[in-house]
Amino acid sequence: MPAATDQPHTATSHVWRRGDRGRSRSATRKGPDRVMLALLASLHLLFLGLWIVAVVEIVSRSDSTLPVAMASAVAVLLIYGLGAVLPSVARGHGAALLWVGALVAMWALLVLHAPSAAYLAFPLFFLCLHVLPLRSGIVAVLVVCALAVFTIGIYQEWTIGGIAGPTVAAAAAIAVGVGYRSLMDTRAELAARERASGQEAERARIAGEIHDTIAQSLASIQMLLRAVERADPEHPSIEDIRLARETSGTALQEARRVVAAMRPAVLEGTTLAGALERVALHAPALPDGTRPVVRVEAGADLPGGMRVSSAFVRIAQEAVSNAVRHGHATSITIAVARVDEDLELSVSDNGGGFDVADTALTSTGFGLENMRRRLDELGGSLSVTSSRRTGTVVRAASPVRMGSTAGKDGIDS
């Protein structure tokens, strides 16, 4: 995780408990969309302004090349406008490459008749990076930059400014393009996490409702009918009672199946300890391609119902991912045990640590807010301690009553 901003050997920590009301700002707000619309509007205005400058130069000369030059200028504007209305261009499909190619070719022809049109290269830099895949966009920017430098040098004069101007602008456009792509990737990742978290929370809520109402009621009905059978085996309606008991048993099994289907895939067919072993096995790789050493310390008979097990598995996944991606940890330990009336999970690493007081960091990129929400629903708590020297420790605790072992009829209580 990123280097802490406090003193090198001072650990920072924070604890979230049930009742905390701090909420992070959504990573999917409309801000970036408004920024993109503003940038596109500015790009269009810049292109139109520079195009008008080129047209003024063409008209002011009034020579024999005027018809061809004006035709080139009109063609450039029409092709540019066409790209703004074609959905396939906006989505970066193959049509985008053809469109950029036609626009650059016609622009190069226009530059032959109006050297000032070379300055249209500046909006073209950003345009190429916006509609093309990153690598293709960078290549297109370099081609446009070379044409601009060559045109300015041939029709005006070779100067340091004529070479450095387009080159610096191209480098700046590439840097902005790469940064924006990275921002959008991060935004998409955060949005996907929020969607997955919301879906999982809803599944857990529905499973909990089924468990606490339908399943428990069916289990009670089954027990009462069994008691009636034993109390009066010769009752005239004994067969109907037995049929009712068997029918309630079938419905109970179906309820169990539905609840089990809502478990995270990593919990399928295994215990909490087994699921954590799977989390360790699928830990992400470090930037150099090597994998961290992830140890799991957990007993096979831990008390853990579906809701607590699901929460602990997701928290462990998030903590391990953070330790590797942000902290570059090479050693991680996942431990879970019963402590008094709580089931406690800890994920410790030897990574770089981070400042847990940084609310912008902890509420978005590190997923700590999602961890806290999961534990809030269980009446549990979350604590995080981190320092540059010792790494990070994430601790989660939930009351055992939320995750006790299965009862006689197989329903988690």
Side-chain angles (χ1 to χ4, degrees):
M1 299 183 186
T5 57
D6 52 346
Q7 294 300 318
H9 304 321
T10 301
T12 58
S13 64
H14 194 78
V15 178
W16 288 268
R17 294 187 177 86
R18 184 174 178 81
D20 289 351
R21 291 289 178 254
R23 291 292 184 267
S24 64
R25 293 185 177 179
S26 172
T28 57
R29 289 191 186 273
K30 299 296 184 181
D33 294 338
R34 291 195 295 269
V35 171
M36 174 51 68
L37 290 176
L39 289 174
L40 286 176
S42 300
L43 181 67
H44 296 331
L45 290 174
L46 176 62
F47 188 92
L48 182 61
L50 293 174
W51 180 85
I52 292 174
V53 170
V55 170
V56 170
E57 180 187 355
I58 293 171
V59 173
S60 64
R61 290 208 311 264
S62 300
D63 55 18
S64 59
T65 64
L66 178 62
V68 177
M70 284 301 301
S72 300
V74 171
V76 166
L77 189 62
L78 288 177
I79 294 174
Y80 184 87
L82 186 64
V85 298
L86 288 179
S88 56
V89 170
R91 289 194 295 266
H93 291 172
L97 185 60
L98 294 176
W99 176 73
V100 168
L103 181 61
V104 171
M106 193 56 62
W107 165 73
L109 179 61
L110 175 61
V111 170
L112 294 177
H113 301 286
S116 62
Y119 295 103
L120 282 169
F122 297 108
L124 285 178
F125 291 155
F126 294 96
L127 192 68
C128 292
L129 290 168
H130 176 63
V131 302
L132 295 178
L134 185 58
R135 291 185 179 179
S136 300
I138 291 176
V139 171
V141 167
L142 295 177
V143 170
V144 172
C145 178
L147 289 173
V149 170
F150 181 78
T151 301
I152 293 174
I154 292 296
Y155 288 95
Q156 297 181 12
E157 58 179 327
W158 292 98
T159 64
I160 295 178
I163 297 174
T167 302
V168 171
I174 291 173
V176 171
V178 171
Y180 185 78
R181 294 290 178 94
S182 177
L183 176 63
M184 290 298 100
D185 289 345
T186 301
R187 181 190 177 200
E189 180 184 353
L190 290 173
R193 284 189 181 186
E194 285 197 358
R195 285 194 300 270
S197 178
Q199 291 168 356
E200 184 185 324
E202 183 62 13
R203 287 196 301 268
R205 186 190 67 80
I206 294 173
E209 290 295 329
I210 294 173
H211 162 266
D212 294 337
T213 57
I214 298 175
Q216 295 289 16
S217 297
L218 288 171
S220 298
I221 291 170
Q222 195 175 28
M223 291 174 63
L224 290 171
L225 291 173
R226 184 180 290 115
V228 172
E229 281 186 279
R230 292 172 180 171
D232 190 0
E234 303 301 327
H235 193 282
S237 301
I238 192 65
E239 291 302 323
D240 292 333
I241 293 173
R242 183 174 293 112
L243 178 60
R245 179 180 60 79
E246 292 173 354
T247 301
S248 65
T250 300
L252 181 58
Q253 293 299 322
E254 183 65 17
R256 291 175 58 195
R257 186 193 65 78
V258 172
V259 170
M262 294 181 178
R263 296 159 63 94
V266 72
L267 274 168
E268 188 66 33
T270 187
T271 62
L272 173 58
L276 294 176
E277 290 284 358
R278 292 177 180 177
V279 171
L281 184 63
H282 294 94
L286 291 160
D288 60 4
T290 61
R291 291 194 172 275
V293 176
V294 184
R295 292 179 292 274
V296 176
E297 300 173 358
D301 57 347
L302 289 169
M306 187 271 289
R307 295 178 66 191
V308 170
S309 296
S310 298
F312 275 20
V313 166
R314 296 307 188 198
I315 290 170
Q317 287 176 323
E318 187 72 33
V320 169
S321 176
N322 287 340
V324 176
R325 293 191 303 111
H326 299 299
H328 301 161
T330 58
S331 178
I332 304 170
T333 300
I334 305 173
V336 61
R338 178 167 181 169
V339 179
D340 297 329
E341 296 302 315
D342 287 348
L343 192 65
E344 294 191 358
L345 167 76
S346 69
V347 181
S348 55
D349 66 69
N350 66 344
F354 70 107
D355 182 7
V356 298
D358 187 344
T359 56
L361 180 66
T362 57
S363 63
T364 55
F366 283 70
L368 296 180
E369 181 70 9
N370 288 337
M371 299 182 192
R372 189 194 63 78
R373 286 174 182 168
R374 296 180 195 278
L375 292 166
D376 254 3
E377 295 173 357
L378 300 174
S381 62
L382 175 73
S383 68
V384 180
T385 302
S386 185
S387 75
R388 295 177 59 185
R389 183 176 183 180
T390 59
T392 300
V393 179
V394 176
R395 293 186 178 88
S398 173
V400 174
R401 59 180 172 80
M402 297 297 299
S404 58
T405 55
K408 181 177 181 180
D409 292 295
I411 295 293
D412 294 341
S413 59

